[in-house]
Amino acid sequence: MPELTLIEAVNKALAFALAADDNVVILGEDVGVNGGVFRATVGLQERFGAERVLDTPLAETLIAGVAVGMASQGLRPVAEIQFMGFIYSAVDQILNHASRLRNRTRGRLSCPMVLRAPYGGGIHAPEHHSESYEAMFAHIPGLRVVIPSSPAQAYGLLLASINDPDPVVFLEPKRIYRLVKQEVGDNGDTLPLDTCYTLREGSDVTLVSWGAMLHETQQAAEQVANDGISAEVIDVATLKPLDMHTILDSVSKTGRCVIVHEAARTAGFGAEIAAQLSEHGLLSLLAPVKRVAGYDTVMPLYRLEEYYMPGVDQITAAVREVLEFG
Amino acid sequence: MPAPKRNKEDKRKTVASFDIRYTRYIDKDGQVVGVLPDVAKDPDALISLYRAMVLNRVFDQKAIALQRTGNLGTYASSLGQEAVFVAVGAVMKQQDVLVPYYREYGAQLLRGVTMTELLLYWGGDERGMDYAGPREDLPICVPIASQIPQAAGVALAMKYRREPRVAVTMFGDGATSKGDFYESANAAGAWNLPLVFVVNNNQWAISVSVAEQTHCKTLAQKAIAAGFPGEQVDGNDIIAVFDRFSAAMEKARNGGGPTLIEAITYRLSDHTTADDASRYRGDEDLSANWENEPLKRLRQYLIGMECWDQRREEQLRKSCELEVEQAIHAYLDTPPAAPESMFEYLYANLPAALTSQREDLSRRLKDRCQS
């Protein structure tokens, strides 16, 4: 099996989908000859032609709206927004149309589209290139929000998203695009979208995270293991719809939970998980649920970026705090 | 100090220029003012267009009456713009796709959307967007101009599949101020899409007049900036709309790319039943524009052709009223959808995360029945 980076796995999944189904069309800014600014679509226009891997004018509302229109007619567009910072003018199409089309028409029309966007900080990018607004999309009924955390997951979850009959916002943690390589079988196998993934089993504390921050979370789990603390690590992977069962089952075993995300703390997606833990898992909890998150500040430009991003030390400190409680 | 030498050769030259065509065949008194196209010589075709316009107007009047008596929610009227809507619906082929905004019932009815469906929509029922007729048409779109990029996507899908089909999107004058419109027009030009843009320039975006909306002399010229033709028609002259829209459709169907048709009309009604236009426009303006209204114009032309009279007019009104009354009965007799249906169409399959919320609703319904 070949070893792939996350971005290469995205590319392989897109190529597989294009080869498997003529209804799949890729569109976005610079996705064609240039192969995408991160090279997610490299070689695809050459292989599948300019009609199937389509460079669009520089207009994000258009990209999302065109994808909605194509999907309404039975195509399976996979649209790329170059960076999450430019996705906001596409939100009207996602919120008012993509996520509602099936419901509005009582199933007459549907919207099987994927909107891909790199997101998150940590690569010393310019202004507007580092934010994490996944919670905003997770608030929208009728949508799926998927975030892979590894090459194998990126491959299987992206293919599942393309095959899914409903609209998916697929956010790619660009900080780990090339961080690790992993064996990925390019055989079209998908991964389920409605489930969290347990990356590490443990009995003392449940660590919940998604995307790039799972790397720090897993490092923290390693570190505390040296002190005899057994941490379970859960990758949420699909923020919407959320598989709360896996998280509740884990917390019923450990009694303690730390949620880790890069996005700003207030009304971040960790708040939803914490709320559901208190609604459905209060009696399992031996300590308050703790969040390790970005500050409620504007994401600083990159000289100060490292002070904003949660690190391994903050996660281990939070783990010790919930273990020492009571 | 010597004066700087003047360059005698003028380096400036015009590198692009444009003009905007305006078409009218029948004036407000029903008199012919140009060389008529074939459709104007076909009484049967004209009478069926006239019937569709009258049906649109009768539907409109009765829908407003329903709203005023508490039997319909907020409703957006077609009044005065029927010629544009009916011409579009009459020219489009069944396999084409309409991407509408929210007041062009004349077009939707001719495409097979039923009056009952339209009433259900404005009566607060999603089933009113499950059109039994044109299955691939987009539903009514309320957020202004947001349907236009979707129309570009529909047209791109047709082009991708090499189908001889055309997407048609309609919108008002206000929509041409939005980025959605400009982005879509630009893409339609760049991609040579089989897409026809129809601007219903009814002079008002709620309370903002066209003069306040833009400094452009025409809205049609916005197509020129996107690299394809735009033209104006007298939107109260159905023969002009029919003729120019037909030409645009044929061109698009044959791979000739997009066209923008700006139909000059006047919104004789309030913006919606929730609006009071007397707050921002005078009676004089309104009564002057009643002189131009499209039904009277075609009727007078038909009378001039000696193929219309008072008796036929009365018969037509009666038959339209009967048809609308039947649709109203069907609407009023339609029980509300099951409350659980709000979960049924959210996703293809309801995710497990939502089952407890659906069960909560079912439990509330059960409790209500028991109490």
Side-chain angles (χ1 to χ4, degrees):
Chain A
M1 250 193 286
E3 289 215 324
L4 303 179
T5 61
L6 197 154
I7 191 75
E8 288 165 343
V10 166
N11 182 268
K12 291 278 184 205
L14 293 172
F16 190 93
L18 283 163
D21 184 355
D22 282 346
N23 286 322
V24 174
V25 175
I26 289 173
L27 66 154
E29 295 157 9
D30 307 298
V31 299
V33 180
N34 194 38
V37 294
F38 286 103
R39 309 290 175 256
T41 53
V42 77
L44 298 182
Q45 190 183 66
E46 206 174 359
R47 185 171 159 200
F48 296 99
E51 285 188 335
R52 301 197 63 200
V53 183
L54 179 67
D55 276 323
T56 65
L58 206 165
E60 285 79 11
T61 302
L62 174 86
I63 292 168
V66 162
V68 172
M70 293 172 98
S72 76
Q73 304 300 305
L75 295 181
R76 290 185 176 268
V78 183
E80 177 178 302
I81 299 292
Q82 204 156 71
F83 286 89
M84 195 189 205
F86 313 140
I87 211 169
Y88 309 109
S89 57
V91 170
D92 183 26
Q93 288 294 330
I94 298 302
L95 196 156
N96 277 324
H97 295 292
S99 65
R100 299 167 60 112
L101 192 59
R102 179 187 296 282
N103 183 65
R104 297 179 71 222
T105 60
R106 303 284 96 169
R108 177 172 65 87
L109 300 175
S110 61
C111 198
M113 64 175 276
V114 178
L115 193 71
R116 296 177 41 245
Y119 89 109
I123 63 162
H124 285 204
E127 197 177 9
H128 304 291
H129 286 65
S130 300
E131 289 74 11
S132 301
Y133 281 109
E134 66 272 20
M136 200 176 69
F137 289 103
H139 193 61
I140 300 174
L143 206 59
R144 289 179 184 275
V145 181
V146 178
I147 300 178
S149 66
S150 67
Q153 261 202 350
Y155 183 87
L157 292 175
L158 180 54
L159 273 178
S161 299
I162 295 169
N163 294 341
D164 192 81
D166 292 303
V168 179
V169 171
F170 192 87
L171 299 174
E172 297 166 7
K174 61 181 178 289
R175 179 160 63 91
I176 59 170
Y177 261 160
R178 295 181 172 82
L179 192 67
V180 290
K181 284 197 167 198
Q182 188 181 23
E183 285 192 346
V184 180
D186 184 11
N187 48 17
D189 285 352
T190 60
L191 287 169
L193 291 179
D194 287 1
T195 182
C196 294
Y197 293 80
T198 303
L199 302 185
R200 178 191 179 106
E201 295 200 359
S203 53
D204 296 329
V205 60
T206 302
L207 307 183
V208 179
S209 189
W210 51 91
M213 205 44 75
L214 274 161
H215 278 261
E216 284 71 19
T217 304
Q218 285 178 289
Q219 283 173 34
E222 282 291 323
Q223 280 190 17
V224 296
N226 295 333
D227 300 330
I229 299 169
S230 168
E232 184 143 301
V233 177
I234 292 177
D235 177 1
V236 175
T238 300
L239 277 68
K240 191 181 191 81
L242 174 63
D243 163 28
M244 202 56 206
H245 288 291
T246 300
I247 298 169
L248 283 164
D249 283 352
S250 175
V251 173
S252 72
K253 183 172 67 178
T254 63
R256 294 173 167 87
C257 184
V258 175
I259 303 162
V260 183
H261 62 69
E262 196 177 307
R265 170 179 301 264
T266 298
F269 196 69
E272 176 61 30
I273 295 171
Q276 291 210 39
L277 279 171
S278 71
E279 280 179 329
H280 307 297
L282 186 65
L283 299 180
S284 313
L285 287 169
L286 303 170
V289 175
K290 187 94 187 143
R291 283 179 289 166
V292 177
Y295 296 117
D296 287 338
T297 62
V298 172
M299 180 87 192
L301 294 187
Y302 68 79
R303 283 189 177 189
L304 300 182
E305 188 174 43
E306 65 176 295
Y307 301 101
Y308 173 91
M309 308 275 291
V312 177
D313 290 352
Q314 284 157 276
I315 303 168
T316 55
V319 167
R320 289 179 212 290
E321 203 178 316
V322 296
L323 279 160
E324 285 158 15
F325 181 85
Chain B
M1 214 166 93
K5 274 187 185 168
R6 280 188 65 188
N7 189 346
K8 284 181 184 166
E9 189 192 347
D10 190 350
K11 295 285 189 194
R12 294 172 305 171
K13 60 180 179 181
T14 302
V15 293
S17 61
F18 69 94
D19 57 7
I20 299 296
R21 173 178 174 172
Y22 173 86
T23 303
R24 168 193 285 163
Y25 293 114
I26 308 292
D27 73 10
K28 68 183 172 60
D29 301 316
Q31 299 300 308
V32 175
V33 291
V35 181
L36 289 172
D38 287 344
V39 65
K41 298 164 192 161
D42 180 350
D44 290 344
L46 293 179
I47 288 171
S48 71
L49 292 174
Y50 184 64
R51 184 184 195 285
M53 286 163 70
V54 171
L55 184 66
N56 187 354
R57 184 160 298 181
V58 172
F59 172 74
D60 210 70
Q61 287 163 341
K62 292 195 180 289
I64 291 168
L66 279 174
Q67 191 278 334
R68 298 294 188 226
T69 52
N71 290 303
L72 193 71
T74 297
Y75 170 82
S77 163
S78 292
L79 191 64
Q81 303 136 81
E82 297 91 342
V84 180
F85 305 153
V86 165
V88 166
V91 171
M92 285 180 74
K93 295 188 176 179
Q94 194 56 49
Q95 74 263 25
D96 298 331
V97 171
L98 179 65
V99 185
Y101 70 123
Y102 49 74
R103 62 169 95 247
E104 56 271 57
Y105 316 119
Q108 290 189 297
L109 293 175
L110 285 171
R111 292 194 52 69
V113 175
T114 67
M115 288 184 277
T116 307
E117 286 164 351
L118 294 174
L119 292 169
L120 281 169
Y121 174 72
W122 293 109
D125 192 324
E126 285 86 353
R127 291 173 297 181
M129 288 181 278
D130 182 11
Y131 306 143
R135 299 295 290 168
E136 287 162 319
D137 280 11
L138 273 286
I140 281 175
C141 179
V142 169
I144 299 299
S146 63
Q147 79 280 18
I148 309 175
Q150 294 165 18
V154 171
L156 187 59
M158 292 166 170
K159 188 177 177 185
Y160 176 71
R161 289 168 166 155
R162 294 180 164 67
E163 297 165 333
R165 304 166 72 193
V166 181
V168 176
T169 185
M170 300 185 76
F171 44 94
D173 35 292
T176 68
S177 295
K178 281 198 70 169
D180 300 52
F181 163 73
Y182 285 104
E183 291 186 16
S184 308
N186 179 63
W191 291 336
N192 197 42
L193 293 178
L195 174 56
V196 178
F197 299 79
V198 180
V199 187
N200 171 32
N201 180 357
N202 68 15
Q203 315 302 318
W204 296 97
I206 305 187
S207 66
V208 176
S209 69
V210 177
E212 295 169 292
Q213 193 74 242
T214 178
H215 197 51
C216 287
K217 198 168 178 187
T218 73
L219 303 178
Q221 74 202 53
K222 296 188 178 196
I224 309 298
F228 61 90
E231 58 180 287
Q232 281 189 339
V233 296
D234 181 341
N236 291 314
D237 173 5
I238 193 163
I239 294 168
V241 187
F242 190 100
D243 178 54
R244 298 315 304 153
F245 180 65
S246 296
M249 290 295 281
E250 196 180 325
K251 182 179 145 209
R253 204 179 303 282
N254 293 326
T259 304
L260 184 148
I261 308 271
E262 178 191 0
I264 310 294
T265 60
Y266 192 90
R267 198 193 76 210
L268 292 171
S269 64
D270 295 330
H271 163 65
T272 65
T273 51
D275 176 43
D276 173 7
S278 69
R279 291 173 60 82
Y280 50 82
R281 69 182 185 192
D283 289 344
E284 282 172 25
D285 195 27
L286 189 60
S287 48
N289 277 286
W290 267 105
E291 294 296 309
N292 289 322
E293 73 94 1
L295 272 66
K296 187 186 89 178
R297 187 178 304 199
L298 181 57
R299 185 166 60 242
Q300 286 179 333
Y301 178 71
L302 288 171
I303 291 168
M305 283 180 96
E306 296 184 349
C307 56
W308 201 250
D309 54 29
Q310 189 60 29
R311 186 184 58 84
R312 297 187 72 169
E313 177 74 18
E314 280 166 18
Q315 278 178 349
L316 173 60
R317 292 266 165 187
K318 268 185 198 151
S319 104
C320 288
E321 279 175 18
L322 189 67
E323 197 177 333
V324 177
E325 288 297 340
Q326 283 168 348
I328 289 172
H329 283 303
Y331 156 64
L332 293 173
D333 289 347
T334 305
E340 292 96 332
S341 68
M342 74 175 80
F343 290 98
E344 198 176 329
Y345 303 98
L346 198 55
Y347 297 88
N349 301 297
L350 190 71
L354 279 152
T355 52
S356 67
Q357 294 182 28
R358 186 179 57 188
E359 283 160 13
D360 175 70
L361 176 58
S362 299
R363 198 166 43 246
R364 282 170 57 208
L365 293 166
K366 213 170 148 191
D367 291 350
R368 193 186 283 188
C369 283
Q370 282 165 356
S371 65

